[in-house]
Amino acid sequence: VGQCVRPACRAGGAETPAPTAAPTMPATCSACGSSPAALRRPKTGHALCRACFLAAFEEETHRAIVAGRLFRPGETVAIGASGGKDSTVLAHLLQLLDQRHGYGLHLLLLSVDEGITGYRDASLAAVRRHQRRSGLPLHVVSYRQLYGWSMDRIARHLGPRNNCTFCGVFRRQALDRGALLMGADKIATGHNADDVAETVLMNFLRGDVGRLRRGAGAGPAGGEGAVPRCKPLRHAYEKEIVLYAYFQGLDYFSTECVYAPQAYRGYARALLKDLEAARPSAVADLGHSGERLSLRPDLRLPARGTCQRCGYVASQPLCKACVLLEGLDRGLPKLGIGKYRRLRDKLRDGQPLTQEERRRLGAPAEGEPSEEQEPRGEPGTDEEPWGRRELRVPRDLDF
Amino acid sequence: CTSGLRACFPSPKMAAPVSLLVEFGGGAELLFDGIKKHQVTLPCQPEPWDIRNLLKWIKQNLLKERPELFIQGDTVRPGILVLINDADWELMGELDYKLQDQDNVVFISTLHGG
């Protein structure tokens, strides 16, 4: 873009008008009273300078960890690391606070490779860069190894919708399995206040009473999986996490997952952003409501049991991951999506399905060649196109 | 000023051209051909350059695709942070901030996975 050629404009001489108002300068930091403020904190409206903000954010995270009794000395904590902003800030903070306050933790990075070309391979590169800078051990578990199905392959069979259902269910188990293999006592994830607020909204919108009972997704720790989890950043606003990373110069990866545009969470997120614009405390308040929710005592809710096939936590005879995999392996990818109880019972009882029933469950149309099953990676070899050496997972994982 | 084709008539009411470094991050750069840093010069015009006008200019001159992911109405889409000289635009008057020569404006999207 060129500059104005007229000498008068370039020289800024007499013909250039004086500014109509003094340049806007930000307010002074309300904490130290000396430096100019760099941000206005969404929850409180206070204006803080860069240094005071960084210090406050770190201190508040430390207090949340202590008050929530999230860790015990000597524990091994697997940090769910995706390469994105939240998990990058989480890993940076946990390492810093562990050193500063002597938590006495063994920290490691745990990444899940869902097999999404163009998305996950790039973000895992960011995790590896973090690993090199931080010196923390890194382990990667992949869907292909664990389940024999990458997300790319699932999406080819399933179509553009419902991919997030598979991915979320598989990731939860993948993190648990990875953590157990690493001997971790706990998993820490980077969920922030916005994530929690969105989950509360989604659970309400879907009438998911089971999850509403469990705190609607809010609350410090989850005991639903095989390994206890915690969310040290659950009170931190997404805006502050982004600015913390920006001011600290942290390197993270950000792109929307290619399968996400249709995800229901996107609607909850858009709603939350509009609510936040009108009243910034809405984000924290939604989490507050979720944590303090209690349900009518006369409600009949699913009981916690174990999956008959893999032993994972489940409220049905088969866990959700096994149901989803069953559908994929049989060429009926929609078996686990939607209410097909009657058809699932038919399959379980060994009865054949009609062509129409198979079609409703997502079977390929007649005449379409069915794909050969993707082989599981052989331990010790590099089967992935990017040549990564995966964590070796025993075939018959049993716990 | 605008493209060298129209004469710029200096008068007390004209705002001088403004050079800026405009940056996009957090995934927002994908709407701008993946380019994060843009050195721009805003041309002379009668109205002073503020963020509101800058957004219109960006939409016309820099944005390559899907404007609804960056702009909503006359402001940025909720979830996009704006920093002016490394300070939160909420402290600087948001859309009404009057741009100064050599200012740095950063747009960071918060809307992607973590």
Side-chain angles (χ1 to χ4, degrees), chain B residues 7-44:
Chain B
C8 172
F9 294 99
S11 79
K13 294 205 177 58
M14 292 289 280
V18 175
S19 281
L20 302 175
L21 176 62
V22 178
E23 298 183 66
F24 302 100
E29 67 274 21
L30 297 168
L31 302 173
F32 299 90
D33 268 344
I35 299 172
K36 289 191 173 181
K37 294 192 197 231
H38 301 249
Q39 189 72 46
V40 305
T41 300
L42 305 174
C44 288

Side-chain angles (χ1 to χ4, degrees), chain A residues 233-313:
Chain A
L233 296 178
R234 72 190 178 287
H235 296 308
Y237 273 54
E238 197 164 47
K239 169 181 172 178
E240 298 202 340
I241 288 180
V242 173
L243 288 178
Y244 184 86
Y246 179 77
F247 289 139
Q248 289 283 36
L250 298 181
D251 158 36
Y252 63 88
F253 173 80
S254 49
T255 276
E256 189 171 52
C257 176
V258 294
Y259 301 126
Q262 309 261 6
Y264 190 65
R265 181 174 284 268
Y267 297 98
R269 178 173 289 174
L271 174 60
L272 181 69
K273 284 294 135 188
D274 287 338
L275 292 171
E276 184 187 7
R279 199 168 136 271
S281 63
V283 177
D285 293 341
L286 273 168
H288 188 90
S289 301
E291 261 188 76
R292 281 151 183 78
L293 207 53
S294 93
L295 300 183
R296 273 179 20 207
D298 59 312
L299 288 176
R300 200 159 48 99
L301 294 165
R304 178 186 162 132
T306 51
C307 174
Q308 290 166 4
R309 185 165 303 171
C310 72
Y312 194 71
V313 172

Side-chain angles (χ1 to χ4, degrees), chain A residues 180-191:
Chain A
L180 283 170
L181 280 162
M182 290 304 103
D185 304 296
K186 208 158 270 179
I187 298 173
T189 55
H191 292 89

